[in-house]
Amino acid sequence: MTSFVAACIQMRTGRNPLENLDVCEALVREAAAEGAVYVQTPEMTNVLERSRKAQLAASSFEGADPFLKRLGILANELNIWVHIGSLAIRLEDDKLANRGFMISPRGEVVARYDKIHMFDVDLPNGESWRESESYSAGSVSPVVDLGVAKVGMAICYDIRQPALFREQSKAGAQVLTGPAAFTKQTGEAHWHVLQRSRAIENGAFVVTAAQGGTHEDDRQTYGHSLMVDPWGRVIAELDHDEPGVLLGELDLAKVDEARRRIPAIENARDFSVATVSLSGEMVR
């Protein structure tokens, strides 16, 4: 069997983690009832809060996080893989990790991923974000063998870093991910082209669950949870910013087909970059 059903859970996470957990559980159950064996939630599934102090207060240490406990039980009950796009996890130094988790059908956490690339930007509409002030960046990019597929873990802003996804693909990833809380402004400008580009470059599926709508802290996120096939075609999309479930069938034979037709990974070569001055002098 080369095909399986995947699901993205689109949320509008607020300030109360337990309320968010109830919403998340209901949507995961809905996805499983529709046949999904892999269910992905968005970035910051547990709590979204603009205030660093309030975000820290609302977050738990990993061992005490209610999402991990309940979604582990749920994965086991439903016999599915649950990919928590990320949770705000409290660390010992009063900082946070933006941490994704892969939970097996046995209810066990088999992989963790701390977001590597921090969203430190000033946008044209006046929005300013400094993720590095609150979160500790990770340094390891996991590819997880689920049996049905090899899945690369990434988070949101990582999608703008093609090298990360190329390395995952070289390591065997067939499905790339970028669970997100994309701003409305950047989503309208770049969401689809970024997801499609990562799929085309690597001949891989890209599956991304998203946050959507106006949140309790007044931020606006884009929604539009998306699945793209290895040829760059959108095969499923929630064309709105409301909470919901997106389902899609992923046929891994299409990964092999795309990589045979355009063997970009196989054809890649090591190289160096040289700069050339106005005098014509080349500097390596």
Side-chain angles (χ1 to χ4, degrees):
M1 184 182 69
T2 63
S3 296
F4 67 99
V5 177
C8 291
I9 302 304
Q10 187 157 292
M11 296 181 65
R12 186 175 297 153
T13 294
R15 288 171 162 151
N16 186 317
L18 294 181
E19 290 179 2
N20 298 327
L21 179 52
D22 288 339
V23 172
C24 182
E25 178 176 350
L27 291 171
V28 171
R29 287 188 179 278
E30 180 181 336
E34 294 293 326
V37 298
Y38 163 85
V39 180
Q40 182 192 124
T41 72
E43 181 181 30
M44 292 288 110
T45 299
N46 59 340
V47 59
L48 265 178
E49 171 56 71
R50 189 181 293 264
S51 161
R52 181 185 184 280
K53 182 178 180 181
Q55 180 85 341
L56 189 65
S59 301
S60 302
F61 290 100
E62 182 176 319
D65 188 88
F67 269 79
L68 282 176
K69 182 176 180 179
R70 195 190 299 182
L71 291 182
I73 293 170
L74 192 62
N76 181 249
E77 175 193 337
L78 301 174
N79 194 34
I80 60 173
W81 287 91
V82 175
H83 177 180
I84 302 176
S86 83
L87 303 175
I89 295 294
R90 191 162 185 164
L91 304 176
E92 294 292 344
D93 57 0
D94 275 347
K95 291 196 81 170
L96 294 161
N98 188 342
R99 182 171 294 168
F101 296 88
M102 191 72 76
I103 302 176
S104 78
R106 297 188 301 274
E108 301 168 349
V109 173
V110 298
R112 296 166 176 79
Y113 169 66
D114 287 0
K115 186 177 182 180
I116 292 173
H117 300 100
M118 297 288 98
F119 190 55
D120 290 355
V121 300
D122 298 301
L123 299 175
N125 68 349
E127 281 186 81
S128 184
W129 301 94
R130 290 293 179 273
E131 198 169 49
S132 62
E133 292 180 359
S134 298
Y135 295 91
S136 293
S139 60
V140 178
S141 170
V143 174
V144 189
D145 189 345
L146 310 188
V148 295
K150 293 180 180 178
V151 177
M153 297 176 70
I155 298 171
C156 199
Y157 191 49
D158 286 332
I159 202 73
R160 295 183 183 271
Q161 303 291 337
L164 185 152
F165 298 93
R166 173 51 57 88
E167 291 304 311
Q168 289 184 345
S169 298
K170 286 165 63 177
Q174 300 155 300
V175 179
L176 307 175
T177 68
F182 244 64
T183 69
K184 181 179 180 182
Q185 180 183 185
T186 57
E188 289 174 344
H190 298 147
W191 178 254
H192 292 83
V193 70
L194 285 168
Q195 309 287 325
R196 295 183 67 205
S197 295
R198 300 298 83 83
I200 293 167
E201 291 163 353
N202 297 293
F205 284 96
V206 175
V207 176
T208 298
Q211 297 280 355
T214 301
H215 299 258
E216 289 179 328
D217 68 352
D218 293 327
R219 82 178 71 204
Q220 290 184 301
T221 53
Y222 185 58
H224 292 259
S225 295
L226 202 63
M227 298 187 191
V228 183
D229 80 3
W231 204 244
R233 294 171 291 219
V234 174
I235 58 171
E237 178 179 4
L238 287 182
D239 192 18
H240 54 73
D241 62 9
E242 296 294 323
V245 175
L246 177 69
L247 294 162
E249 185 172 351
L250 309 188
D251 183 356
L252 299 182
K254 293 184 177 180
V255 176
D256 296 334
E257 178 186 0
R259 290 176 177 176
R260 282 196 305 268
R261 292 168 73 179
I262 308 289
I265 298 172
E266 182 181 335
N267 291 346
R269 295 174 59 86
D270 293 332
F271 61 91
S272 61
V273 175
T275 60
V276 181
S277 69
L278 290 176
S279 66
E281 180 182 1
M282 185 178 293
V283 180
R284 292 188 182 275

